Amino acid sequence: MNINLKALGNVTEDERMTKKMIVVSGPSGAGKTTLVKYLMEKLPRLQFAVSATTRPLRGDEVNGRDYYFLSEDEFKEKVKLHEFLEHEEVYEGLLYGTLKEEIKRCWDNDEIPVLDIDVKGALNIKLHHGDYCLFVFVHPGDIYRLQERLKHRGTESDASLKKRLARAEEELNYSQEFDVVIYNRSLESASHELLERVVHFLNDEMSSTQL
Ligand code: 5GP
């Protein structure tokens, strides 16, 4: 994977300098989604930033809750209109992106957006938001563990599983670029560690009673 950093677009200087975000990244199947859900249960001021994607909806996913499911044309139109904070072709032919409007909505409601995005997207944001974001890398422990988790999830075809594992191996090389690396060997200890790190990050802005 070639990490090619690019400009964020129309986020104003004020937004860049004063607003916080939590960006959770790492290979698909490392447990990001579960950890993000846990965080949001514990800290009501956090709000999941729903991404847009062109991948087909899975089993119990809901449009507008898990993703905004768009056609490729719809997605590309939004790219043209600079509506994305970042966007990537995460897997061949499958586009994913963070909508600026989604982030703005959180900030307008005095919430802190939590993004669950791939490594390349996270590093692109890091280039522009550095000090005001917490960049978390969820590490699966090892590739074998990841393979088992993806198989167990049962959402991927053999071909898709192969692609996800190949990409995961590359993504692991970038873990050191992140502020925090959470090793998800045990969900319980990973959840607690993540919560502690996020509270610490937020604490200079608000007291724990507001959290
Ligand atoms: P999945 O198809 O399993 O939901 O997601 C595949 C990968 O795309 C995951 O690593 C997920 O974090 C990432 N992803 C989800 N939304 C976005 C996004 O808005 N931008 C980027 N760059 N990656 C995303």
Side-chain angles (χ1 to χ4, degrees), residues 20 22 38-39 43 46 133-137 178-183 189-204 211:
K20 289 194 172 190
I22 294 167
Y38 172 83
L39 259 190
L43 305 174
L46 303 185
C133 273
L134 183 68
F135 291 92
V136 178
F137 188 96
F178 286 73
D179 301 324
V180 178
V181 181
I182 303 287
Y183 288 89
S189 59
S191 314
H192 292 163
E193 191 188 347
L194 178 60
L195 180 63
E196 199 177 296
R197 299 300 295 259
V198 169
V199 168
H200 187 260
F201 168 73
L202 298 176
N203 255 347
D204 59 3
L211 292 170

Side-chain angles (χ1 to χ4, degrees), residues 32 51 55 58 67 86 96-98 116-118 164:
K32 281 176 292 180
S51 293
R55 90 145 156 73
R58 278 184 202 139
Y67 280 105
E86 60 76 37
Y96 293 76
T98 309
D116 168 347
I117 65 176
D118 85 322
R164 280 172 188 258

Side-chain angles (χ1 to χ4, degrees), residues 24-29 32-33 49-53 55 58 61 67 84 86-91 94-99 115-122 150 153 155-156 164 167 171:
V24 180
S25 195
S28 173
K32 281 176 292 180
T33 309
V50 179
S51 293
T53 184
R55 90 145 156 73
R58 278 184 202 139
E61 285 180 332
Y67 280 105
F84 287 108
E86 60 76 37
H87 60 91
E88 297 295 337
E89 183 174 355
V90 175
Y91 302 106
L94 297 181
L95 306 170
Y96 293 76
T98 309
L99 291 159
L115 283 61
D116 168 347
I117 65 176
D118 85 322
V119 167
K120 204 167 164 185
L150 280 171
R153 199 164 80 177
T155 53
E156 311 306 322
R164 280 172 188 258
R167 189 181 175 88
E171 287 186 317

